[in-house]
């Protein structure tokens, strides 16, 4: 008889790795701290095990919850493997490295380095005051650059949020949760099962809606605003019914440079067509402002408004 979804026990051998402990659980995966038996290195392993589709049998095998879900589980496992292969071809300091990927227990396992640091969401919860402009730029400019590389390769992340940003020494960010990444040339590019209230734009809630790089751009804007206000923006569905969200330009005037507030407002436009088309477009607009800010010339005024952003 199939058992409810549960993790593999500490000490279990999976491939060339020995599991130490569970360090995370998501809707699609279980995450373990493990040791590489060949090198002795500490690694993180993500096991594909979707909560709504899979159970574990004795012996560790991952099986569908019911016969009706067998095809969906098989399909998801195949896409997981294909998507990790595609992502492994990307090289960027803010994209987690894929060390290994293999099949075992009738499912897939993604192996990544164990990067020391802290989670951005946890950092925000523990911090009493607001974060500085310098901190925001140190974190989110590299995140945008990493997303720009993904977008150039026709990939979208679809789950950018503070909880999926890992901060290493010097606030160097690392984008997490590669299992959410989807190539745009597959059917999962329409609609998505991955929705995070406050960070997912409205199109992500509907299976018939078209997703794209602009979807990630909204999530970046929402993540920056969360850091500024230390609270999550209202869910996009609530904004669709009645948008009471005051623009960052108005709500946070004087606390952050005008160009950064304008960028957040542009990224968080409800209509996808009014946002930057991808991360590169937002970065291109930001660059001259960043140069002036870093040179100490920014006073809070903005000399040009991104297209699609209304004056407030």
């Amino acid at each position: 008889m199939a058992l409810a979804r549960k993790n593999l026990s500490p000490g279990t051998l999976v491939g060339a790795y020995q599991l130490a402990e569970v360090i995370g659980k998501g809707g699609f995966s279980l995450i373990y701290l493990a040791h590489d038996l060949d090198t002795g290195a500490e690694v993180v392993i993500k096991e594909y095990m979707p909560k709504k589709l899979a159970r574990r049998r004795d012996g560790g095998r991952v099986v569908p919850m019911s016969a009706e879900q067998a095809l969906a589980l098989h399909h998801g496992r195949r896409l997981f493997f294909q998507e990790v292969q595609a992502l492994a071809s990307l090289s960027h300091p803010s994209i987690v490295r894929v060390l290994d990927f293999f099949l075992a227990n009738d499912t897939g396992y993604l192996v990544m380095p164990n990067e020391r640091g802290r989670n951005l969401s946890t950092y925000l919860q523990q911090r009493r005051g607001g974060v500085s402009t310098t901190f925001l730029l140190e974190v989110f400019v590299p995140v945008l650059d990493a997303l720009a590389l993904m977008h150039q390769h026709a990939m979208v992340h679809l789950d950018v949020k503070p909880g999926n940003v890992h901060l290493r020494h010097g606030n160097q960010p690392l984008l997490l949760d590669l299992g959410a990444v989807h190539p745009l040339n597959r059917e999962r590019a329409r609609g998505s099962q991955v929705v995070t209230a406050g960070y997912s734009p409205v199109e992500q809630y509907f299976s018939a809606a078209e997703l794209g790089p602009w979807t990630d751009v909204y999530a970046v804007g929402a993540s920056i605003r969360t850091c500024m206000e230390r609270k999550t923006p209202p869910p996009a569905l609530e904004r669709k019914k009645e948008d009471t969200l005051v623009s960052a330009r108005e709500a946070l005037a004087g606390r952050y440079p005008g160009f950064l507030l304008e960028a957040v407002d542009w990224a968080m436009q409800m209509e996808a067509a009014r946002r930057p088309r991808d991360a590169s477009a937002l970065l291109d607009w930001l660059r001259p402002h960043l140069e002036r800010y870093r040179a100490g010339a920014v006073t809070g005024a903005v000399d040009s408004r991104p297209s699609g952003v209304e004056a407030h």
Side-chain angles (χ1 to χ4, degrees), residues 130-240:
V131 299
S132 68
T133 299
T134 299
F135 175 87
L136 292 173
L137 298 179
E138 286 176 345
V139 173
F140 287 102
V141 170
V143 165
L144 280 170
D145 195 60
L147 288 170
L149 180 62
M150 289 186 188
H151 295 165
Q152 289 165 13
H153 285 77
M155 299 179 190
V156 286
H157 189 285
L158 298 185
D159 200 21
V160 178
K161 58 187 177 183
N164 278 337
V165 177
H166 182 71
L167 301 178
R168 295 165 292 184
H169 178 71
N171 296 325
Q172 299 176 58
L174 188 66
L175 266 175
L176 303 180
D177 201 2
L178 303 190
V181 174
H182 301 309
L184 285 171
N185 59 351
R186 299 205 181 100
E187 62 272 22
R188 284 167 72 181
R190 283 192 173 273
S192 174
Q193 294 180 345
V194 179
V195 174
T196 303
Y199 303 102
S200 298
V202 69
E203 67 264 20
Q204 215 162 339
Y205 285 83
F206 301 100
S207 60
E210 184 179 3
L211 308 182
W214 50 87
T215 306
D216 287 339
V217 168
Y218 183 99
V220 171
S223 297
I224 296 174
R225 181 145 185 175
T226 293
C227 292
M228 290 175 166
E229 296 188 310
R230 295 182 62 223
K231 65 179 181 180
T232 305
L237 282 184
E238 290 185 11
R239 294 187 65 196
K240 181 178 174 62

Side-chain angles (χ1 to χ4, degrees), residues 28-39:
F28 296 92
S29 60
L30 299 175
I31 304 172
Y32 305 88
L33 185 66
H35 293 91
D36 185 328
L37 296 178
D38 292 331
T39 66

Side-chain angles (χ1 to χ4, degrees), residues 17-186:
Y17 308 92
Q18 185 173 43
L19 304 184
E21 61 178 313
V22 178
I23 57 174
K25 296 184 178 182
F28 296 92
S29 60
L30 299 175
I31 304 172
Y32 305 88
L33 185 66
H35 293 91
D36 185 328
L37 296 178
D38 292 331
T39 66
E42 200 172 55
V43 297
V44 172
I45 297 181
K46 176 176 285 190
E47 177 186 44
Y48 179 70
M49 194 175 183
K51 185 176 183 179
K52 296 181 179 180
L53 299 176
R55 294 175 181 244
R56 194 184 307 278
R57 286 191 180 277
D58 292 335
R61 288 181 58 235
V62 173
V63 299
M65 284 193 174
S66 67
E68 292 77 16
Q69 293 165 318
L71 183 60
L73 180 62
H74 173 75
H75 181 65
R77 183 172 59 236
R78 179 171 58 84
L79 286 179
F80 182 67
F81 179 60
Q82 292 173 349
E83 290 155 8
V84 171
Q85 279 187 314
L87 202 60
S89 67
L90 302 179
S91 178
H92 191 280
S94 292
I95 296 177
V96 67
R97 287 189 297 126
V98 177
L99 296 178
D100 193 8
F101 185 82
F102 59 93
L103 300 176
N105 294 327
D106 291 337
T107 193
Y109 293 86
L110 166 64
V111 184
M112 303 165 283
N114 183 32
E115 301 263 11
R116 299 292 182 180
R118 53 191 175 179
N119 181 271
L120 176 57
S121 181
T122 302
Y123 172 76
L124 293 174
Q125 292 171 8
Q126 295 174 343
R127 185 179 176 84
R128 293 184 177 181
V131 299
S132 68
T133 299
T134 299
F135 175 87
L136 292 173
L137 298 179
E138 286 176 345
V139 173
F140 287 102
V141 170
V143 165
L144 280 170
D145 195 60
L147 288 170
L149 180 62
M150 289 186 188
H151 295 165
Q152 289 165 13
H153 285 77
M155 299 179 190
V156 286
H157 189 285
L158 298 185
D159 200 21
V160 178
K161 58 187 177 183
N164 278 337
V165 177
H166 182 71
L167 301 178
R168 295 165 292 184
H169 178 71
N171 296 325
Q172 299 176 58
L174 188 66
L175 266 175
L176 303 180
D177 201 2
L178 303 190
V181 174
H182 301 309
L184 285 171
N185 59 351
R186 299 205 181 100

